[in-house]
Amino acid sequence: MSLLRSFLAFALIAFAVAPHTALADANSEPISVKVNMARILKINAPAATVIIGNPGVADVTIQDPQTLILTGKSYGETNLIILDSRGSAIADTMVSVVEPLSADGLTMYQGQARNTLNCQPICQPTVMLGDDATFATSTSGSSATITGMAK
């Protein structure tokens, strides 16, 4: 009986000190986040350092040692590496930033110019990555004017 207890104690200690990976490794499905949106990632071990391969595609911040906030910045894929305080890898996974699929959105093409509208409850212009530069500038300017009037 004492041999069984010793084995269980050893197994418990080994499990407690082994790094726990909450995120998938680089060979599995990527973590998906929508462009211009954020997603909460919970991890099993405290993170000390987070690294994004291409910060133009996604950004990640440490909210607390076991909560990360992943933000999609541009369409594409990059990798995410999470290290503990000793520099050991907690996770190494791919991140895929995708277009938000919304029944409320409308994409309008005029030749090669693309404009995006959000139609909830009525259609209003909204800026999405890939929209026509003139449309995006005009929409952003209108938004800044309205924000300035609210102050």
Side-chain angles (χ1 to χ4, degrees):
M1 189 67 154
S2 73
L3 181 61
L4 180 60
R5 283 186 184 173
S6 297
F7 175 75
L8 290 175
F10 176 77
L12 181 61
I13 291 170
F15 180 76
V17 275
H20 300 286
T21 304
L23 303 176
D25 64 27
N27 295 325
S28 66
E29 290 294 313
I31 297 170
S32 180
V33 63
K34 296 175 183 170
V35 72
N36 296 330
M37 302 292 273
R39 180 174 175 180
I40 297 171
L41 302 177
K42 294 285 190 176
I43 55 176
N44 293 335
T49 304
V50 291
I51 302 158
I52 279 286
N54 184 348
V57 172
D59 189 25
V60 66
T61 57
I62 300 175
Q63 181 69 25
D64 65 51
Q66 291 183 271
T67 306
L68 307 178
I69 307 298
L70 177 66
T71 305
K73 295 172 69 178
S74 179
Y75 304 119
E77 285 193 336
T78 189
N79 65 320
L80 168 65
I81 300 170
I82 304 168
L83 306 175
D84 64 15
S85 60
R86 296 181 315 237
S88 299
I90 295 171
D92 184 352
T93 190
M94 294 298 295
V95 173
S96 179
V97 180
V98 297
E99 182 176 4
L101 300 176
S102 171
D104 301 328
L106 173 69
T107 303
M108 191 170 56
Y109 292 91
Q110 295 173 324
Q112 292 189 12
R114 186 183 94 179
N115 304 332
T116 306
L117 304 170
N118 186 345
C119 298
Q120 179 67 23
I122 60 170
C123 290
Q124 297 289 325
T126 185
V127 178
M128 289 298 294
L129 189 63
D131 280 346
D132 178 65
T134 304
F135 171 79
T137 302
S138 172
T139 301
S140 297
S142 296
S143 178
T145 300
I146 292 169
T147 303
M149 293 171 62
K151 292 181 180 179

